[in-house]
């Protein structure tokens, strides 16, 4: 018998390899743009025709190649980026396999023009199906231009598998976006069939995001920055109120290389949990910088997965970073009145209002307590939270709708008296209905109040400012050893909320004081609930603990459905809701209100 194994000719081997590396025009776009980045270019221009099917051209002003390198670059495993095995553990370049150009040349007609700064002229090489057809000297600027024509000209099966031009163009734009996002210091353009699609000027990441997704992103973004020993996280998240119903802008990068990572995505989703409605998705543009030795370098050129040495650590840091960004955004505007002009703007925009809103100037008597002369029977345990909390009016939301503009000079007392016809209607002792300019707003009293309390508790936890009410007859809270030690862990935070607890013996605490909102409620049951939730959501992240605690307290102490409210109570609830940072969503992710636009119903 004869031996039957043969070594395949390079052109065939390259064509097979191309099947993996170059699946569609967008893959060639990615490889050529990454090469231009690796060459240190400061300006990269991409031109495509027919969604890349008839032509892809990438022009860069990078380091260029010598005549010999220009020929060599089309060989398989020809790379200038690594030379020995150890180099694999310190890769900082986008490419390193030396496969891309060999693959592209195997399945297309490629023209390369390249010139180094130190050379007088450039060299032009034409390579078709892995065969060099032409090599000449050409005058040109320093840099490199790759032109790829008739992709898959010799692989009809591939060509026929391509999708519609629109679909292929979407893939190209996606690759372009991924490459350009993490290199804002570099100028990029994209031209398709003679039309300029993008013109991205050098700048910072925020400007790059705006260049790619629209200048309205300016106000949508929250900066994220977290540095730990082996991990650094940098970038932006989209504010919760701008979360999209479709999986929108979700961009993770590791050392500026785009990746998809379900587990890390979960870290972000989780961090946003109580801020974003269940059917919406968070947006983010985040780069995770790690030592290249801490990730598995064996990244397939077309794959976007990456393995971390310690993915749990990255998860925790990412989660904390996003929480911190959200927390800062949600807390500071409430405290800083200068910022509340913005707050009103955001609110107005969220409500679909076109023009910026002025802050109505309504003097409010901070000492006025609407309950002093109240006589209607009601549940008393939450009334404390109805004291006007704001020293300055954040804005009477009804005025935002152009309603009752006769009010600005009146105090709350006069307002109450002036209101002879009923403005607030309670339905089923669970919903508050009140008119707005365009129709009616229906508010879920339980969800609205839990949002109000949630933000209040977060603020108190942050500022250590919870008001306390002394218990005349302190109750004892008896726990098992485990729970007692958990409770001890939480003591500082509980004290910030207004609890005064004293350990009587290893397993018993005396409840000497409770948060002022909680007066009249069962403090023992409340603390047991807090402990339970703490056990379920146990975490070492401080901000997480605060969010969990604020959530539990808000859920426990919010006004329940089936509770009768007076008109003044309803008014206060509504005013406080719209003074919240995220008024529209309860901590559990549900909507707090809906607006019934009358024009939609009576046509
Ligand atoms: P890799 O990027 O993995 O090294 P490629 O096949 O993409 O492999 O490129 C092969 C080599 O060709 C690169 O290592 C680089 O030296 C050279 N090269 C490719 N594109 C450019 C460019 N735009 N400017 C300068 N050199 C380039
Ligand atoms: Mg490459």
């Amino acid at each position: 018998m004869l031996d039957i194994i043969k070594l395949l000719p390079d052109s065939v081997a390259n064509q097979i390899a191309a099947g993996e590396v170059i699946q569609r025009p967008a893959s060639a776009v990615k490889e050529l743009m990454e090469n231009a980045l690796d060459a240190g270019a400061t300006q990269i221009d991409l031109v495509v025709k027919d969604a890349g099917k008839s032509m892809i051209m990438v022009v860069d002003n990078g380091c260029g190649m010598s005549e010999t390198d220009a020929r060599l670059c089309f060989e398989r495993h020809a790379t200038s980026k690594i030379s020995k095995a150890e180099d694999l553990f310190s890769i900082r370049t986008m490419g390193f396999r030396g496969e891309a150009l060999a693959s592209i040349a195997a399945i297309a007609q490629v023209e390369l023009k390249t010139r180094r700064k130190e050379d007088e002229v450039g060299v032009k090489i034409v390579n078709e199906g892995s065969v060099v057809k032409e090599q000449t000297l050409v005058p040109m600027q320093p840099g490199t231009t790759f032109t790829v024509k008739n992709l898959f000209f010799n692989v009809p099966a591939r060509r026929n598998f391509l999708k519609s031009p629109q679909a292929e163009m979407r893939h190209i734009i996606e690759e372009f976006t991924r490459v350009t996002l993490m290199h804002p210091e570099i100028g990029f353009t994209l031209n398709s069939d003679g039309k300029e699609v993008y013109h991205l000027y050098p700048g910072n990441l925020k400007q790059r995001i705006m260049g790619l997704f629209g200048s309205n992103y300016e106000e949508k973004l929250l900066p994220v920055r977290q540095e730990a020993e082996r991990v650094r996280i940098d970038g932006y998240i989209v504010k919760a109120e701008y979360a999209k119903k479709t999986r929108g802008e979700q961009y993770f990068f590791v050392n500026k290389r785009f990746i998809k990572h379900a587990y890390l995505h979960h870290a972000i989703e989780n961090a946003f949990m109580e801020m974003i409605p269940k059917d919406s998705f968070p947006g983010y543009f985040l780069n995770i910088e790690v030592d290249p030795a801490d990730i598995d370098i064996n990244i397939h050129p077309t794959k976007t997965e990456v393995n971390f040495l310690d993915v749990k650590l990255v998860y925790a840091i990412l989660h904390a970073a996003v929480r911190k960004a959200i927390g800062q955004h949600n807390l500071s505007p409430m405290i800083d009145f200068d910022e509340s002009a913005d707050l009103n703007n955001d609110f107005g925009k969220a409500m679909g209002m076109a023009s910026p809103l002025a802050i109505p100037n309504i003097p409010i008597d901070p000492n006025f307590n609407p309950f002093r002369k109240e006589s209607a029977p009601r549940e008393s345990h939450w009334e404390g939270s109805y004291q006007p909390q704001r020293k300055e009016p954040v804005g009477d939301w009804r005025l935002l709708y152009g309603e009752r503009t006769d009010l600005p000079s009146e105090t709350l007392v006069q307002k109450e008296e002036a209101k002879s016809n009923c403005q607030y209607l309670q339905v089923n002792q669970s919903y508050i209905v009140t008119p707005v300019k365009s129709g009616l707003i229906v508010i879920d009293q339980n969800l609205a109040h839990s949002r109000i309390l949630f933000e209040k508790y977060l603020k108190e936890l942050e500022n250590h400012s919870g008001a306390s009410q002394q218990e005349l007859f302190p109750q004892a809270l008896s726990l098992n050893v485990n729970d007692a030690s958990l409770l001890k862990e939480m003591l500082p935070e509980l004290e910030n909320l207004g609890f005064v607890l004293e350990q009587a013996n290893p397993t018993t605490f005396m409840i000497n004081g409770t948060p002022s909102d909680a007066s009249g409620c069962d403090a023992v049951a409340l603390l047991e609930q807090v402990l339970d939730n703490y056990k379920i959501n146990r975490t070492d992240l401080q901000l997480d603990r605060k969010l969990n605690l604020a959530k539990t307290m808000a859920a426990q102490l919010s006004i329940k459905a089936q509770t009768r409210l007076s008109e003044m109570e309803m008014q206060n609830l509504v005013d406080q809701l719209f003074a919240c940072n995220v008024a529209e969503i309860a901590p559990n992710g549900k909507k707090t209100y809906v607006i019934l636009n009358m024009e939609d119903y009576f046509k």
Side-chain angles (χ1 to χ4, degrees):
M1 277 291 264
L2 290 170
D3 298 330
I4 51 169
I5 294 179
K6 290 189 270 310
L7 278 176
L8 290 173
D10 278 354
S11 56
V12 179
N14 286 342
Q15 218 179 62
I16 294 170
E20 286 175 48
V21 184
I22 308 297
Q23 282 143 348
R24 49 169 31 104
S27 337
V29 165
K30 169 178 183 279
E31 294 298 336
L32 295 175
M33 288 183 73
E34 289 187 347
N35 279 346
L37 285 176
D38 287 343
T42 57
Q43 178 66 41
I44 300 172
D45 300 304
L46 167 65
V47 180
V48 297
K49 289 216 170 95
D50 265 345
K53 280 186 227 180
S54 44
M55 192 202 71
I56 298 166
M57 179 168 82
V58 174
V59 184
D60 74 52
N61 63 354
C63 65
M65 283 180 264
S66 71
E67 207 178 328
T68 318
D69 285 352
R71 264 195 95 107
L72 251 182
C73 75
F74 292 107
E75 297 294 322
R76 216 149 150 232
H77 306 305
T79 179
S80 56
K81 297 164 196 174
I82 55 172
S83 55
K84 46 191 188 309
E86 300 89 84
D87 295 348
L88 286 171
F89 300 99
S90 55
I91 284 168
R92 285 276 170 198
T93 52
M94 305 298 282
F96 60 90
R97 297 171 154 253
E99 262 183 341
L101 292 180
S103 299
I104 295 172
I107 50 163
Q109 297 151 347
V110 182
E111 181 194 278
L112 158 65
K113 288 200 285 179
T114 187
R115 185 195 139 190
R116 298 182 300 180
K117 252 205 212 85
E118 61 265 38
D119 296 330
E120 302 261 294
V121 287
V123 57
K124 171 174 147 185
I125 290 178
V126 177
N127 187 322
E128 273 185 36
S130 299
V131 181
V132 175
K133 291 272 160 100
E134 187 189 330
Q135 178 170 348
T136 44
L137 295 179
V138 285
M140 66 179 288
Q141 295 287 315
T144 302
T145 299
F146 270 100
T147 312
V148 176
K149 288 189 182 150
N150 302 320
L151 199 64
F152 303 125
F153 80 102
N154 52 357
V155 202
R158 275 274 153 165
R159 205 170 51 231
N160 296 337
F161 262 109
L162 292 179
K163 303 232 172 71
S164 68
Q166 294 87 332
E168 293 301 335
M169 196 60 208
R170 274 199 301 277
H171 282 289
I172 289 177
I173 287 177
E174 185 57 26
E175 291 296 352
F176 180 84
T177 304
R178 292 173 185 178
V179 171
T180 55
L181 255 178
M182 279 298 124
H183 297 92
E185 70 288 353
I186 295 173
F188 290 93
T189 62
L190 167 54
N191 186 301
S192 165
D193 293 328
K195 279 198 257 348
E196 186 167 84
V197 184
Y198 288 106
H199 196 132
L200 305 172
Y201 297 95
N204 57 30
L205 175 58
K206 189 170 197 179
Q207 289 162 326
R208 178 54 47 92
I209 294 170
M210 286 158 62
L212 283 164
F213 298 101
S215 46
N216 59 345
Y217 267 71
E218 165 116 61
E219 70 204 29
K220 294 188 184 179
L221 300 173
L222 283 181
V224 175
R225 176 156 303 166
Q226 187 89 12
E227 254 182 87
E229 209 179 315
R230 300 187 75 85
V231 187
R232 199 174 71 222
I233 289 165
D234 229 318
Y236 290 90
I237 51 174
V238 177
K239 290 179 189 165
E241 52 268 46
Y242 297 105
K244 289 190 171 175
K245 287 271 188 301
T246 54
R247 220 169 255 283
E249 287 76 47
Q250 302 186 332
Y251 292 94
F252 263 137
F253 300 83
V254 170
N255 296 349
K256 304 198 173 180
R257 181 195 300 275
F258 177 83
I259 60 155
K260 284 186 181 146
H261 206 295
Y263 181 64
L264 292 183
H265 171 79
H266 180 262
I268 296 187
E269 221 163 43
N270 195 313
F272 266 114
M273 210 160 48
E274 64 287 306
M275 309 281 174
I276 287 184
K278 290 227 155 43
D279 54 352
S280 299
F281 299 94
Y284 49 85
F285 312 87
L286 296 171
N287 183 41
I288 305 167
E289 220 31 70
V290 293
D291 186 324
D294 286 354
I295 47 175
D296 177 3
I297 50 84
N298 219 353
I299 310 155
H300 190 277
T302 60
K303 285 201 181 128
T304 46
E305 282 102 49
V306 76
N307 288 327
F308 292 86
L309 221 56
D310 188 352
V311 73
K312 288 225 167 93
L313 176 77
V314 180
Y315 183 102
I317 293 169
L318 183 64
H319 191 259
V322 174
R323 274 280 151 108
K324 193 171 80 181
I326 296 171
Q328 277 167 357
H329 168 60
N330 277 345
L331 294 173
S332 55
M334 282 178 92
I335 302 156
D336 184 356
F337 184 63
D338 282 340
E339 291 235 23
S340 55
D342 268 7
L343 208 68
N344 267 327
N345 264 339
D346 279 359
F347 169 57
K349 281 184 193 126
M351 307 301 333
M353 298 186 56
S355 56
L357 303 163
I359 303 170
N361 186 15
I362 314 161
I364 289 180
D365 175 2
N367 297 319
F368 171 67
N369 179 347
F371 299 110
R372 253 176 235 142
K373 54 179 188 164
E374 255 281 336
S375 55
R378 69 197 123 76
E379 303 260 85
S380 63
H381 70 260
W382 43 264
E383 73 185 42
S385 66
Y386 270 13
Q387 309 270 348
Q389 292 174 357
R390 296 170 262 136
K391 285 228 171 57
E392 301 277 355
V394 172
D396 183 322
W397 64 280
R398 271 160 288 113
L399 294 177
L400 303 179
Y401 295 92
E403 179 121 332
R404 302 197 57 179
T405 39
D406 55 323
L407 287 179
S409 63
E410 296 166 333
T411 65
L412 268 180
V413 189
Q414 289 167 322
K415 236 164 143 182
E416 175 69 344
E417 283 161 356
K419 214 185 302 151
S420 48
N421 63 334
C422 186
Q423 290 280 316
Y424 298 90
L425 180 69
Q426 195 186 22
V427 178
N428 205 19
Q429 300 197 348
S430 303
Y431 301 98
I432 300 167
V433 182
T434 187
V436 293
K437 195 177 182 183
S438 56
L440 292 174
I441 185 166
V442 182
I443 297 169
D444 183 306
Q445 67 191 39
N446 170 250
L447 295 173
H449 196 223
S450 64
R451 163 53 67 181
I452 294 165
L453 291 181
F454 175 68
E455 292 197 5
K456 175 176 183 282
Y457 292 138
L458 266 188
K459 193 168 116 186
E460 289 176 0
L461 283 166
E462 206 63 28
N463 300 346
H464 310 202
S465 61
S468 182
Q469 179 151 309
Q470 208 186 330
E471 295 285 312
L472 285 180
F473 305 102
Q475 280 181 282
L477 176 66
S478 298
L479 302 166
N480 63 36
V481 184
N482 256 339
D483 287 0
S485 89
L486 281 185
L487 192 73
K488 246 179 126 167
E489 253 177 67
M490 301 181 70
L491 270 185
E493 276 142 9
L494 291 172
E495 276 165 11
N496 288 339
L497 286 174
F499 282 102
V500 183
L501 301 173
E502 187 191 350
Q503 191 159 14
N505 63 50
T507 54
T508 309
F509 290 82
M510 299 310 292
I511 307 172
N512 293 331
T514 51
S516 46
D517 310 311
S519 67
C521 89
D522 182 348
V524 172
L526 176 62
L527 281 169
E528 280 170 353
Q529 190 63 49
V530 164
L531 261 176
D532 259 10
N533 281 14
Y534 182 64
K535 275 187 272 187
I536 296 168
N537 302 307
R538 195 141 182 226
T539 160
D540 293 330
L541 298 171
Q542 248 233 324
L543 194 61
D544 248 19
R545 280 168 50 169
K546 287 180 187 166
L547 284 168
N548 279 337
L549 186 54
K551 237 166 113 174
T552 311
M553 291 277 293
Q556 291 300 309
L557 296 178
S558 50
I559 315 164
K560 299 295 172 287
Q562 302 294 330
T563 309
R564 211 177 83 83
L565 300 179
S566 73
E567 193 175 356
M568 182 51 105
E569 287 167 340
M570 289 192 268
Q571 182 186 331
N572 275 320
L573 186 81
V574 173
D575 283 349
Q576 289 188 34
L577 176 65
F578 287 104
C580 283
N581 288 305
V582 189
E584 43 279 86
I585 301 158
N588 61 8
K590 292 187 181 163
K591 284 198 181 107
T592 53
Y593 64 84
V594 289
I595 289 177
L596 305 180
N597 194 334
M598 287 308 151
E599 280 179 10
D600 292 345
Y601 295 100
F602 301 104
K603 284 189 211 168

